Amino acid sequence: MTDFTATRAAFHLPEGMIYLDGNSLGPLPKAVAARVAQTVTAEWGDHLITGWNACGWMDMPARLGDRIGRLIGAEPGHVVVGDTLSIKVFQALAAALKLNPDRRVILSDTGNFPSDLYMAEGLISLLGPDYELRLVAPEEVETSITDDIAVTLITEVDYRTGRKHDMAALTAKAHANGVVTIWDLAHSAGALPVDLAGAKADFAVGCTYKYLNGGPGAPAFIYVSPRHADMALPALSGWLGHDSPFAFDLDYTPGAGIARMRVGTPPIVQMAALDAALDAWDDVDMADLRARSIELSDRFIAGVEATCPDLILASPRDATQRGSQVSFRFADGYAAMQALIAHKVIGDFRAPDIMRFGFTPLYLNEQDIDAAIEILANIMRDRLWDTPEFKQRKAVT
Amino acid sequence: MTDFTATRAAFHLPEGMIYLDGNSLGPLPKAVAARVAQTVTAEWGDHLITGWNACGWMDMPARLGDRIGRLIGAEPGHVVVGDTLSIKVFQALAAALKLNPDRRVILSDTGNFPSDLYMAEGLISLLGPDYELRLVAPEEVETSITDDIAVTLITEVDYRTGRKHDMAALTAKAHANGVVTIWDLAHSAGALPVDLAGAKADFAVGCTYKYLNGGPGAPAFIYVSPRHADMALPALSGWLGHDSPFAFDLDYTPGAGIARMRVGTPPIVQMAALDAALDAWDDVDMADLRARSIELSDRFIAGVEATCPDLILASPRDATQRGSQVSFRFADGYAAMQALIAHKVIGDFRAPDIMRFGFTPLYLNEQDIDAAIEILANIMRDRLWDTPEFKQRKAVT
């Protein structure tokens, strides 16, 4: 049984703050500061260029990849860390389309995170106008998987509503129709059990600054199934994905398997932070995590619905259909969220009217949930959000 | 007059080590550790998600871009920091080709860093086989700029020999032939004066972990000339390059100017390290830097040639034709470099036979150069490199 009191103690949580935004940026694991200081001062400072070998820097993308791989059901040796999620989406999509060369349609849904769609647009701008990005409503994805689709590009958990796709079922239907699948795990990795190998997923990508707590701008990851890893071409063919980077050949020869999905020089300081953050996961059972996440989320929904009649649940009521977040619709949601943040309950807002709350069992407990509900209830009851200050939107939220 | 004693004092230089590899990874500026600790503990730790506004994280790509822009002669507001150099090469190349839509040839040279060529190959794999990467010898670039070339992709300073292209002359010839230019400044930024605006360069890219001392895996930068900034399409069209990232539109609308060259969430911890590292440049005059670099490099060449007859200068003898590095050819150069490193003089080796030394006036002085020459002379005279241990190549150097 996972000890969530112990995992909570591993995080720096500012006094008096209730942090329900770990689905956007996870809080600081206490182990990170010392590890980053060591990487900067002892490793970079004293080893300089020799750190690439002496301090294991060169191996970090694959080593961290395997640490994350364990949490998402990947086969060992099939995940690498690097770049940003947008870049990894591009790389997966370019490779997946090449594996299905006779088809031209990328299927995605309107609940996907926009950057995934933008990267698909950008790729199509290079490939030519016979390629198509076909967008359907999230509920229509399953029926839209037909034998003219080349690739599905689907985020498992909707960033706004928390609605969760059925990865195993959609992947099976995709394969029955000759479609290659890409799963974006931005709101899945560290949020709920993922079984990439069991679902026979083809590609997966994700970020590490949300539920994995790697810090602001922590690097992304990419998974390529063993079935494709030696055939998939990265398109973003950088020197660290070369079969022999230090031979400095003039021609590109892709490295073996997932290694080819590396691109440029990895961000070592940021990776050190992530490495330390991943320690918090060592003794976590993902089934326990899921059970606890549902407990906390259901408790929040019940409490908010009992006290805030103006907030309309935007997430599926059935917990098995959700990720690890809960969203409510409210026309003045932006102002309400600003008021909530002013009262030190941190969630976030997503246009047009979504108030979003993340439930992260590693560091949240029942007391947090109950206190957040009470503060939110006060704000709604007394219309504390209804001030010019809170209603004025900033450029960035 | 730049005070190079003061700049040297700003770096952590391990006792007894002579570091001639700042052209590969710069040493640790003393200001970095405290700044990174502050970013991790005070910013991320205490501000969490609100750090994006409260701590200025969202502005870092542009703010750091301008700090670097000053060192490379860019117009303010036309450089952003992010991703890796390979990614920025891809982005610049895709945008440059779109600006010259009737042509299909990318011109580069065999002295370019291979990753630039690999990224061009990868881009061509998407654009189709009517595109061509044309490689010529470095000395043939000028005569090869003809009116069938779409884009030149040239690294100003050759990573192996240190040979420097004439940016102003090649750019002028390119423009006379209707060619768009991309300059890779990996071995230029912080190494010598660069005048992008004066040369009328179209695009430039570079990295920050070499002469700019940003740390292992520090982010890259990209420059787009004001003439193109509002027309150039990034191809890697991520959400942070969107005109309104937090509107979460389903369609991509490029941001104004250089902002569109941002892709995904920026690596804040790594950027904090870079920001602190750039402080060392505040009082540096680039003309002083160049004069000092030439003094140190010429001194090294004279000393080595006087004492090591087996080492053949691979760099231009005329200092105005070089960057800030000096290379020598030696058939057993790998072993000789290993022996030198064992004696705490750090340079590096590049296949097949290049011993490479970087001269970085911010933290090197005459005593370092003379001591390095003496140690190298001893190694060569007594054949200290001729041992099985030093001759055995490791996978990564």
Side-chain angles (χ1 to χ4, degrees):
Chain A
M1 193 67 192
T2 305
D3 179 356
F4 289 112
T5 306
T7 58
R8 179 179 172 102
F11 287 85
H12 171 71
L13 301 169
E15 188 66 33
M17 179 189 285
I18 300 172
Y19 194 63
L20 306 182
D21 209 13
N23 52 323
S24 190
L25 175 67
L28 173 65
K30 289 176 182 166
V32 166
R35 174 60 193 280
V36 166
Q38 180 206 329
T39 298
V40 168
T41 304
E43 298 186 3
W44 173 18
D46 288 339
H47 289 271
L48 295 111
I49 189 68
T50 64
W52 288 105
N53 287 317
C55 305
W57 295 346
M58 199 49 89
D59 302 326
M60 287 185 89
R63 190 168 61 73
L64 298 192
D66 274 342
R67 293 193 79 181
I68 293 164
R70 191 184 72 78
L71 305 177
I72 55 176
E75 299 87 347
H78 287 275
V79 177
V80 285
V81 167
D83 302 303
T84 64
L85 177 50
S86 294
I87 295 294
K88 279 346 205 182
V89 165
F90 186 94
Q91 208 176 23
L93 195 49
L97 287 171
K98 290 270 178 196
L99 291 176
N100 219 349
D102 298 330
R103 301 189 185 183
R104 294 289 176 271
V105 182
I106 301 162
L107 178 68
S108 191
D109 71 62
T110 55
N112 203 345
F113 189 67
S115 202
D116 291 26
L117 309 179
Y118 303 160
M119 295 307 285
E121 268 190 69
L123 178 59
I124 288 173
S125 78
L126 301 174
L127 291 171
D130 50 336
Y131 282 82
E132 175 194 345
L133 174 61
R134 186 175 297 169
L135 284 187
V136 299
E139 315 77 51
E140 289 164 1
V141 168
E142 186 175 358
T143 55
S144 303
I145 298 175
T146 49
D147 64 7
D148 63 328
I149 306 290
V151 176
T152 55
L153 173 62
I154 306 286
T155 297
E156 188 189 19
V157 176
D158 188 306
Y159 77 108
R160 274 192 288 217
T161 64
R163 180 189 187 281
K164 189 172 81 69
H165 282 295
D166 184 336
M167 181 186 291
L170 292 184
T171 302
K173 175 144 191 209
H175 290 174
N177 283 273
V179 178
V180 179
T181 57
I182 302 173
W183 287 100
D184 181 338
L185 304 178
H187 293 269
S188 306
L192 43 84
V194 178
D195 184 8
L196 290 176
K200 296 192 165 49
D202 299 290
F203 293 82
V205 295
C207 64
T208 65
Y209 46 75
K210 296 178 184 292
Y211 294 90
L212 297 178
N213 314 301
F221 64 83
I222 184 168
Y223 161 84
V224 184
S225 158
R227 299 187 303 281
H228 307 306
D230 286 320
M231 260 124 49
L233 293 173
L236 299 172
S237 40
W239 71 304
L240 285 182
H242 193 281
D243 189 48
S244 185
F246 289 90
F248 299 105
D249 294 337
L250 291 177
D251 296 311
Y252 182 75
T253 308
I258 193 71
R260 65 184 59 185
M261 293 297 164
R262 297 179 58 168
V263 184
T265 304
I268 295 303
V269 181
Q270 211 89 41
M271 286 194 174
L274 174 59
D275 198 22
L278 290 174
D279 291 350
W281 293 94
D282 281 345
D283 298 317
V284 174
D285 180 288
M286 296 305 282
D288 292 347
L289 183 92
R290 179 65 167 157
R292 186 87 178 121
S293 151
I294 290 175
E295 239 174 67
L296 297 175
S297 315
D298 280 350
R299 188 181 189 101
F300 187 75
I301 293 173
V304 172
E305 293 195 326
T307 54
C308 306
D310 291 341
L311 301 191
I312 306 304
L313 184 66
S315 300
R317 189 169 297 281
D318 173 358
T320 66
Q321 305 294 311
R322 292 195 307 259
S324 196
Q325 70 172 77
V326 169
S327 300
F328 288 91
R329 291 189 192 283
F330 176 52
D332 280 298
Y334 177 83
M337 185 54 75
Q338 296 311 306
L340 198 57
I341 291 170
H343 286 79
K344 302 189 86 170
V345 176
I346 316 298
D348 60 22
F349 173 80
R350 288 292 175 261
D353 61 357
I354 294 273
M355 298 174 69
R356 194 172 73 151
F357 303 91
F359 297 91
T360 49
L362 255 48
Y363 48 85
L364 291 177
N365 60 29
E366 287 84 351
Q367 289 73 45
D368 296 321
I369 306 308
D370 293 348
I373 294 165
E374 192 181 333
I375 293 167
L376 178 58
N378 287 343
I379 287 170
M380 295 305 296
R381 188 192 59 224
D382 299 339
R383 293 179 64 93
L384 299 181
W385 53 265
D386 194 4
T387 73
E389 181 203 346
F390 292 142
K391 290 174 101 164
Q392 186 180 14
R393 291 204 189 182
K394 297 198 197 92
V396 176
T397 57
Chain B
M1 191 68 189
T2 305
D3 179 356
F4 290 113
T5 307
T7 58
R8 179 181 172 101
F11 287 87
H12 171 72
L13 301 168
E15 188 67 32
M17 180 189 286
I18 300 172
Y19 194 63
L20 306 181
D21 210 10
N23 53 322
S24 190
L25 175 68
L28 172 66
K30 288 175 183 167
V32 166
R35 174 62 193 278
V36 167
Q38 182 206 326
T39 299
V40 169
T41 304
E43 298 186 4
W44 173 18
D46 288 340
H47 289 271
L48 297 109
I49 190 67
T50 64
W52 288 105
N53 288 317
C55 305
W57 296 346
M58 199 51 87
D59 303 326
M60 289 185 89
R63 190 169 61 75
L64 298 190
D66 274 342
R67 294 194 78 180
I68 293 165
R70 193 186 68 80
L71 305 177
I72 56 176
E75 300 87 345
H78 287 276
V79 178
V80 284
V81 168
D83 303 302
T84 64
L85 177 49
S86 294
I87 295 293
K88 281 341 207 184
V89 165
F90 185 94
Q91 208 174 22
L93 196 48
L97 287 171
K98 289 270 176 194
L99 291 176
N100 219 349
D102 299 329
R103 302 189 186 184
R104 294 289 177 268
V105 181
I106 302 161
L107 178 68
S108 191
D109 72 61
T110 55
N112 203 345
F113 189 68
S115 202
D116 292 24
L117 309 179
Y118 304 160
M119 294 308 284
E121 268 189 68
L123 179 58
I124 289 173
S125 78
L126 300 175
L127 291 172
D130 50 334
Y131 282 82
E132 176 194 343
L133 173 61
R134 186 175 298 169
L135 284 185
V136 300
E139 314 78 51
E140 291 165 1
V141 167
E142 188 175 357
T143 56
S144 303
I145 296 174
T146 49
D147 65 8
D148 63 329
I149 306 288
V151 176
T152 55
L153 174 61
I154 306 287
T155 297
E156 189 188 17
V157 176
D158 188 306
Y159 77 106
R160 274 191 290 218
T161 65
R163 180 188 186 281
K164 189 173 81 67
H165 282 294
D166 184 336
M167 182 186 289
L170 293 184
T171 302
K173 174 142 192 209
H175 290 173
N177 283 274
V179 177
V180 179
T181 57
I182 301 171
W183 289 100
D184 181 338
L185 304 179
H187 294 270
S188 306
L192 43 84
V194 177
D195 184 8
L196 290 176
K200 296 192 165 48
D202 300 290
F203 293 82
V205 293
C207 63
T208 64
Y209 47 75
K210 296 178 183 291
Y211 294 90
L212 298 178
N213 314 301
F221 63 84
I222 184 167
Y223 161 84
V224 183
S225 159
R227 298 187 304 282
H228 308 307
D230 285 322
M231 262 125 47
L233 294 174
L236 300 173
S237 39
W239 72 303
L240 285 183
H242 193 282
D243 189 48
S244 186
F246 290 89
F248 301 104
D249 294 336
L250 291 177
D251 296 310
Y252 182 74
T253 307
I258 194 69
R260 64 184 60 186
M261 293 295 166
R262 297 180 59 169
V263 184
T265 304
I268 295 304
V269 181
Q270 210 89 41
M271 287 194 173
L274 173 60
D275 198 22
L278 290 173
D279 291 350
W281 293 93
D282 281 345
D283 298 318
V284 175
D285 180 287
M286 296 306 283
D288 292 347
L289 183 93
R290 179 66 168 158
R292 187 88 179 119
S293 153
I294 290 175
E295 239 173 65
L296 297 174
S297 314
D298 280 351
R299 188 181 188 99
F300 187 74
I301 293 172
V304 171
E305 292 194 325
T307 55
C308 306
D310 291 341
L311 301 192
I312 307 304
L313 185 65
S315 299
R317 189 168 298 280
D318 175 358
T320 65
Q321 305 294 310
R322 291 195 307 260
S324 196
Q325 70 171 79
V326 170
S327 300
F328 288 93
R329 292 190 190 281
F330 177 51
D332 280 297
Y334 178 83
M337 185 53 75
Q338 296 313 305
L340 198 58
I341 291 170
H343 287 80
K344 303 190 84 173
V345 177
I346 316 297
D348 62 22
F349 173 79
R350 287 291 176 261
D353 60 355
I354 295 272
M355 297 174 70
R356 195 172 74 150
F357 303 92
F359 297 92
T360 49
L362 255 47
Y363 49 85
L364 292 176
N365 61 26
E366 288 84 351
Q367 289 73 46
D368 295 323
I369 307 306
D370 293 348
I373 294 165
E374 193 182 333
I375 293 168
L376 177 58
N378 287 342
I379 287 169
M380 295 306 296
R381 188 191 61 225
D382 298 340
R383 295 179 63 91
L384 299 181
W385 53 267
D386 194 4
T387 71
E389 181 203 346
F390 291 141
K391 291 173 98 164
Q392 186 180 13
R393 291 203 190 181
K394 296 196 198 96
V396 176
T397 57

